[in-house]
Amino acid sequence: MSGVGPLSQDWEPVVLRKKAPTSAARKDEKAVNAARRSGADIDTIKKYNAGTNKAASSSTSLNTKRLDDDTENLTHDRVPTELKKAIMQARMDKKLTQAQLAQLINEKPQVIQEYESGKAIPNQQIIGKLERALGAKLRGKK
């Protein structure tokens, strides 16, 4: 570095500033008054229904009538009485417990219990397994 000439710094100065005020701080009453004093332009906007939940609740009146008029039955199909009795009868004929039958068809005992009590939602795969395990026709015409 010797003999190159006088050394000088060619750097730009770096200026660090605080962040610009957030929108909430700009709307602060003190900030608005300061802007008025300095003569800056101030925009005021009236927000209708601000702070209320009217916009959300007013549109529900359209849906409420449709919901009231709706009489569609939204329940799942349950096991028919004939199927419940057929499963119980076939299981008793084979002298099996619910747990043993469940083990034969690789299902939980609770599944057999639900089918025999009529609480289960019919599943054709499980009914097919029951037909094979019990050797009885459970669905269709007898």
Side-chain angles (χ1 to χ4, degrees):
M1 285 264 189
S2 63
V4 175
L7 296 176
S8 66
Q9 290 184 345
D10 195 23
W11 294 346
E12 297 279 329
V14 177
V15 179
L16 301 175
R17 293 191 179 111
K18 289 183 178 179
K19 282 194 258 178
T22 62
S23 62
R26 278 185 260 142
K27 294 175 189 171
D28 187 19
E29 192 174 340
K30 291 178 187 175
V32 172
N33 287 337
R36 281 187 184 136
R37 272 186 270 163
S38 68
D41 291 334
I42 301 170
D43 289 334
T44 56
I45 300 170
K46 171 70 175 151
K47 291 188 177 179
Y48 296 97
N49 292 335
T52 64
N53 207 6
K54 287 181 183 173
S57 63
S58 65
S59 66
T60 57
S61 62
L62 302 173
N63 293 331
T64 308
K65 183 176 181 343
R66 194 168 35 190
L67 285 172
D68 287 341
D69 293 344
D70 191 12
T71 57
E72 188 178 352
N73 188 5
L74 301 174
T75 56
H76 292 290
D77 292 333
R78 297 286 180 216
V79 176
T81 310
E82 304 83 43
L83 181 60
K84 297 192 308 192
K85 290 180 180 174
I87 292 171
M88 277 191 262
Q89 190 60 48
R91 181 177 59 82
M92 297 291 189
D93 291 346
K94 288 254 184 176
K95 296 187 174 90
L96 294 170
T97 64
Q98 288 180 345
Q100 290 168 336
L101 177 58
Q103 195 171 15
L104 279 174
I105 66 167
N106 293 326
E107 293 289 343
K108 293 180 180 175
Q110 182 182 354
V111 172
I112 304 299
Q113 189 176 0
E114 286 174 353
Y115 269 82
E116 288 188 359
S117 66
K119 294 178 183 172
I121 298 169
N123 182 342
Q124 295 303 316
Q125 279 186 313
I126 294 176
I127 295 172
K129 287 182 192 179
L130 286 168
E131 285 179 337
R132 283 192 297 278
L134 296 172
K137 190 167 170 87
L138 300 174
R139 52 191 165 171
K141 292 187 171 71
K142 293 187 178 184

